[in-house]
Short mmCIF file of all heavy atoms in Angstrom, two decimals:
data_model
loop_
_atom_site.label_atom_id
_atom_site.label_comp_id
_atom_site.label_asym_id
_atom_site.label_seq_id
_atom_site.Cartn_x
_atom_site.Cartn_y
_atom_site.Cartn_z
N VAL A 274 -28.81 -14.89 7.26
CA VAL A 274 -29.93 -14.94 6.31
C VAL A 274 -29.59 -15.86 5.14
O VAL A 274 -30.44 -16.62 4.66
CB VAL A 274 -30.28 -13.53 5.82
CG1 VAL A 274 -31.28 -13.58 4.66
CG2 VAL A 274 -30.86 -12.70 6.96
N SER A 275 -28.34 -15.82 4.67
CA SER A 275 -27.94 -16.67 3.54
C SER A 275 -27.99 -18.15 3.92
O SER A 275 -28.47 -18.98 3.14
CB SER A 275 -26.53 -16.29 3.08
OG SER A 275 -26.48 -14.96 2.63
N VAL A 276 -27.50 -18.48 5.12
CA VAL A 276 -27.54 -19.87 5.57
C VAL A 276 -28.98 -20.34 5.74
O VAL A 276 -29.34 -21.46 5.37
CB VAL A 276 -26.76 -20.03 6.89
CG1 VAL A 276 -26.94 -21.42 7.46
CG2 VAL A 276 -25.28 -19.76 6.65
N TRP A 277 -29.81 -19.46 6.29
CA TRP A 277 -31.22 -19.82 6.46
C TRP A 277 -31.89 -20.05 5.10
O TRP A 277 -32.70 -20.96 4.93
CB TRP A 277 -31.94 -18.72 7.23
CG TRP A 277 -33.35 -19.09 7.61
CD1 TRP A 277 -34.49 -18.80 6.93
CD2 TRP A 277 -33.74 -19.86 8.75
NE1 TRP A 277 -35.58 -19.33 7.57
CE2 TRP A 277 -35.16 -19.99 8.69
CE3 TRP A 277 -33.05 -20.45 9.80
CZ2 TRP A 277 -35.89 -20.68 9.67
CZ3 TRP A 277 -33.77 -21.14 10.77
CH2 TRP A 277 -35.17 -21.24 10.69
N SER A 278 -31.55 -19.21 4.13
CA SER A 278 -32.11 -19.39 2.79
C SER A 278 -31.62 -20.68 2.15
O SER A 278 -32.36 -21.33 1.39
CB SER A 278 -31.73 -18.20 1.90
OG SER A 278 -32.23 -16.99 2.42
N ALA A 279 -30.36 -21.06 2.46
CA ALA A 279 -29.77 -22.24 1.84
C ALA A 279 -30.34 -23.54 2.41
O ALA A 279 -30.60 -24.49 1.67
CB ALA A 279 -28.25 -22.22 2.00
N PHE A 280 -30.53 -23.59 3.73
CA PHE A 280 -30.90 -24.84 4.37
C PHE A 280 -32.30 -24.82 4.99
O PHE A 280 -32.77 -25.84 5.48
CB PHE A 280 -29.87 -25.19 5.45
CG PHE A 280 -28.49 -25.44 4.90
CD1 PHE A 280 -27.53 -24.44 4.94
CD2 PHE A 280 -28.17 -26.65 4.31
CE1 PHE A 280 -26.26 -24.66 4.43
CE2 PHE A 280 -26.90 -26.87 3.80
CZ PHE A 280 -25.95 -25.88 3.85
N GLY A 281 -32.94 -23.66 4.99
CA GLY A 281 -34.30 -23.59 5.52
C GLY A 281 -35.33 -23.89 4.46
O GLY A 281 -35.02 -24.34 3.35
N GLN A 282 -36.56 -23.64 4.81
CA GLN A 282 -37.64 -23.85 3.86
C GLN A 282 -37.60 -22.79 2.76
O GLN A 282 -37.26 -21.64 3.02
CB GLN A 282 -38.99 -23.79 4.59
CG GLN A 282 -39.22 -24.92 5.58
CD GLN A 282 -39.27 -26.28 4.89
OE1 GLN A 282 -39.80 -26.40 3.79
NE2 GLN A 282 -38.71 -27.29 5.55
N PRO A 283 -37.93 -23.16 1.52
CA PRO A 283 -37.95 -22.16 0.44
C PRO A 283 -38.88 -21.00 0.78
O PRO A 283 -39.96 -21.21 1.33
CB PRO A 283 -38.46 -22.97 -0.76
CG PRO A 283 -38.12 -24.39 -0.44
CD PRO A 283 -38.24 -24.53 1.05
N ASP A 284 -38.44 -19.81 0.45
CA ASP A 284 -39.22 -18.59 0.69
C ASP A 284 -39.49 -18.35 2.17
O ASP A 284 -40.44 -17.64 2.53
CB ASP A 284 -40.55 -18.62 -0.07
CG ASP A 284 -40.34 -18.72 -1.57
OD1 ASP A 284 -39.35 -18.16 -2.07
OD2 ASP A 284 -41.17 -19.36 -2.24
N SER A 285 -38.67 -18.95 3.06
CA SER A 285 -38.89 -18.75 4.50
C SER A 285 -38.41 -17.38 4.94
O SER A 285 -38.80 -16.91 6.01
CB SER A 285 -38.16 -19.84 5.30
OG SER A 285 -36.77 -19.84 5.00
N VAL A 286 -37.56 -16.73 4.14
CA VAL A 286 -37.09 -15.38 4.45
C VAL A 286 -37.86 -14.40 3.57
O VAL A 286 -37.73 -14.45 2.34
CB VAL A 286 -35.57 -15.23 4.22
CG1 VAL A 286 -35.13 -13.80 4.53
CG2 VAL A 286 -34.80 -16.23 5.07
N PRO A 287 -38.68 -13.51 4.14
CA PRO A 287 -39.42 -12.55 3.32
C PRO A 287 -38.48 -11.69 2.48
O PRO A 287 -37.40 -11.31 2.93
CB PRO A 287 -40.18 -11.71 4.35
CG PRO A 287 -40.24 -12.56 5.57
CD PRO A 287 -38.99 -13.38 5.57
N ILE A 288 -38.88 -11.40 1.26
CA ILE A 288 -38.04 -10.63 0.35
C ILE A 288 -37.73 -9.25 0.93
O ILE A 288 -36.59 -8.77 0.87
CB ILE A 288 -38.72 -10.50 -1.03
CG1 ILE A 288 -38.77 -11.87 -1.70
CG2 ILE A 288 -37.97 -9.50 -1.91
CD1 ILE A 288 -39.47 -11.88 -3.03
N GLN A 289 -38.73 -8.60 1.53
CA GLN A 289 -38.52 -7.27 2.09
C GLN A 289 -37.51 -7.31 3.24
O GLN A 289 -36.79 -6.34 3.48
CB GLN A 289 -39.84 -6.68 2.58
CG GLN A 289 -40.83 -6.33 1.48
CD GLN A 289 -41.53 -7.55 0.90
OE1 GLN A 289 -41.41 -8.66 1.42
NE2 GLN A 289 -42.26 -7.34 -0.19
N PHE A 290 -37.44 -8.44 3.94
CA PHE A 290 -36.50 -8.57 5.05
C PHE A 290 -35.09 -8.89 4.55
O PHE A 290 -34.10 -8.45 5.14
CB PHE A 290 -36.97 -9.67 6.01
CG PHE A 290 -36.03 -9.92 7.15
CD1 PHE A 290 -35.98 -9.04 8.23
CD2 PHE A 290 -35.19 -11.02 7.15
CE1 PHE A 290 -35.10 -9.28 9.28
CE2 PHE A 290 -34.31 -11.26 8.19
CZ PHE A 290 -34.27 -10.38 9.27
N SER A 291 -34.98 -9.64 3.46
CA SER A 291 -33.68 -10.08 2.97
C SER A 291 -32.82 -8.93 2.48
O SER A 291 -31.59 -9.05 2.44
CB SER A 291 -33.85 -11.12 1.86
OG SER A 291 -34.44 -10.53 0.71
N VAL A 292 -33.44 -7.82 2.08
CA VAL A 292 -32.66 -6.71 1.53
C VAL A 292 -31.92 -5.95 2.63
O VAL A 292 -30.87 -5.34 2.38
CB VAL A 292 -33.58 -5.74 0.73
CG1 VAL A 292 -34.49 -4.97 1.66
CG2 VAL A 292 -32.74 -4.80 -0.13
N VAL A 293 -32.42 -5.99 3.87
CA VAL A 293 -31.81 -5.21 4.96
C VAL A 293 -30.40 -5.71 5.29
O VAL A 293 -29.45 -4.91 5.34
CB VAL A 293 -32.71 -5.21 6.21
CG1 VAL A 293 -32.04 -4.47 7.36
CG2 VAL A 293 -34.05 -4.56 5.89
N PRO A 294 -30.18 -7.02 5.54
CA PRO A 294 -28.81 -7.49 5.78
C PRO A 294 -27.88 -7.23 4.61
O PRO A 294 -26.68 -6.98 4.80
CB PRO A 294 -28.98 -8.99 6.03
CG PRO A 294 -30.40 -9.15 6.45
CD PRO A 294 -31.16 -8.12 5.68
N THR A 295 -28.41 -7.28 3.40
CA THR A 295 -27.59 -7.02 2.21
C THR A 295 -27.07 -5.59 2.21
O THR A 295 -25.88 -5.33 1.98
CB THR A 295 -28.39 -7.28 0.93
OG1 THR A 295 -28.84 -8.64 0.92
CG2 THR A 295 -27.53 -7.03 -0.30
N LEU A 296 -27.94 -4.63 2.50
CA LEU A 296 -27.53 -3.23 2.55
C LEU A 296 -26.58 -2.97 3.71
O LEU A 296 -25.64 -2.18 3.58
CB LEU A 296 -28.77 -2.33 2.67
CG LEU A 296 -29.73 -2.35 1.47
CD1 LEU A 296 -30.92 -1.45 1.75
CD2 LEU A 296 -29.01 -1.90 0.20
N LEU A 297 -26.80 -3.64 4.85
CA LEU A 297 -25.89 -3.48 5.99
C LEU A 297 -24.51 -4.00 5.63
O LEU A 297 -23.49 -3.37 5.96
CB LEU A 297 -26.44 -4.23 7.19
CG LEU A 297 -25.58 -4.20 8.46
CD1 LEU A 297 -25.41 -2.77 8.97
CD2 LEU A 297 -26.19 -5.09 9.55
N ALA A 298 -24.43 -5.14 4.96
CA ALA A 298 -23.13 -5.71 4.58
C ALA A 298 -22.39 -4.78 3.62
O ALA A 298 -21.16 -4.66 3.68
CB ALA A 298 -23.32 -7.08 3.95
N LYS A 299 -23.12 -4.13 2.72
CA LYS A 299 -22.49 -3.24 1.75
C LYS A 299 -21.92 -1.98 2.40
O LYS A 299 -21.13 -1.27 1.77
CB LYS A 299 -23.50 -2.87 0.66
CG LYS A 299 -23.91 -4.04 -0.23
CD LYS A 299 -24.90 -3.60 -1.28
CE LYS A 299 -25.42 -4.79 -2.08
NZ LYS A 299 -24.37 -5.47 -2.84
N SER A 300 -22.31 -1.69 3.63
CA SER A 300 -21.79 -0.51 4.32
C SER A 300 -20.48 -0.77 5.04
O SER A 300 -19.86 0.17 5.56
CB SER A 300 -22.83 0.01 5.33
OG SER A 300 -22.99 -0.92 6.40
N ALA A 301 -20.02 -2.04 5.08
CA ALA A 301 -18.82 -2.38 5.85
C ALA A 301 -17.59 -1.63 5.37
O ALA A 301 -16.70 -1.28 6.17
CB ALA A 301 -18.57 -3.89 5.79
N ALA A 302 -17.50 -1.38 4.06
CA ALA A 302 -16.31 -0.73 3.51
C ALA A 302 -16.17 0.72 3.96
O ALA A 302 -15.09 1.31 3.80
CB ALA A 302 -16.35 -0.79 1.99
N MET A 303 -17.22 1.30 4.52
CA MET A 303 -17.17 2.71 4.93
C MET A 303 -16.59 2.89 6.32
O MET A 303 -16.07 3.96 6.65
CB MET A 303 -18.59 3.28 4.89
CG MET A 303 -18.71 4.74 5.30
SD MET A 303 -20.43 5.26 5.46
CE MET A 303 -20.95 4.31 6.89
N TYR A 304 -16.62 1.84 7.16
CA TYR A 304 -16.29 2.02 8.56
C TYR A 304 -14.81 2.27 8.84
O TYR A 304 -14.44 3.06 9.69
CB TYR A 304 -16.73 0.79 9.37
CG TYR A 304 -18.19 0.46 9.28
CD1 TYR A 304 -18.64 -0.86 9.37
CD2 TYR A 304 -19.14 1.46 9.09
CE1 TYR A 304 -19.98 -1.17 9.28
CE2 TYR A 304 -20.48 1.16 9.00
CZ TYR A 304 -20.89 -0.15 9.09
OH TYR A 304 -22.22 -0.46 8.99
N ASN A 305 -13.95 1.55 8.10
CA ASN A 305 -12.54 1.53 8.48
C ASN A 305 -11.86 2.89 8.48
O ASN A 305 -11.14 3.22 9.43
CB ASN A 305 -11.79 0.55 7.58
CG ASN A 305 -12.28 -0.87 7.76
OD1 ASN A 305 -12.91 -1.20 8.76
ND2 ASN A 305 -12.02 -1.71 6.79
N PRO A 306 -12.03 3.74 7.44
CA PRO A 306 -11.40 5.06 7.50
C PRO A 306 -11.86 5.89 8.70
O PRO A 306 -11.09 6.67 9.25
CB PRO A 306 -11.82 5.72 6.17
CG PRO A 306 -12.11 4.58 5.27
CD PRO A 306 -12.70 3.52 6.14
N ILE A 307 -13.12 5.70 9.10
CA ILE A 307 -13.62 6.41 10.28
C ILE A 307 -12.90 5.92 11.53
O ILE A 307 -12.50 6.70 12.39
CB ILE A 307 -15.14 6.22 10.41
CG1 ILE A 307 -15.85 6.81 9.18
CG2 ILE A 307 -15.67 6.85 11.69
CD1 ILE A 307 -17.34 6.56 9.17
N ILE A 308 -12.71 4.60 11.62
CA ILE A 308 -12.02 4.03 12.77
C ILE A 308 -10.59 4.55 12.86
O ILE A 308 -10.08 4.87 13.94
CB ILE A 308 -12.03 2.50 12.69
CG1 ILE A 308 -13.48 2.00 12.86
CG2 ILE A 308 -11.13 1.88 13.75
CD1 ILE A 308 -13.64 0.51 12.62
N TYR A 309 -9.91 4.66 11.70
CA TYR A 309 -8.54 5.16 11.71
C TYR A 309 -8.46 6.56 12.32
O TYR A 309 -7.51 6.90 13.02
CB TYR A 309 -7.97 5.23 10.28
CG TYR A 309 -7.96 3.92 9.54
CD1 TYR A 309 -8.10 3.90 8.16
CD2 TYR A 309 -7.81 2.72 10.21
CE1 TYR A 309 -8.10 2.69 7.46
CE2 TYR A 309 -7.81 1.52 9.52
CZ TYR A 309 -7.95 1.52 8.16
OH TYR A 309 -7.96 0.34 7.47
#
Side-chain angles (χ1 to χ4, degrees):
V274 171
S275 298
V276 173
W277 187 265
S278 299
F280 297 99
Q282 294 296 322
D284 299 326
S285 58
V286 179
I288 292 177
Q289 291 77 9
F290 178 77
S291 67
V292 71
V293 176
T295 301
L296 295 178
L297 178 62
K299 293 180 186 297
S300 68
M303 179 188 68
Y304 302 149
N305 297 341
I307 298 175
I308 293 173
Y309 301 150

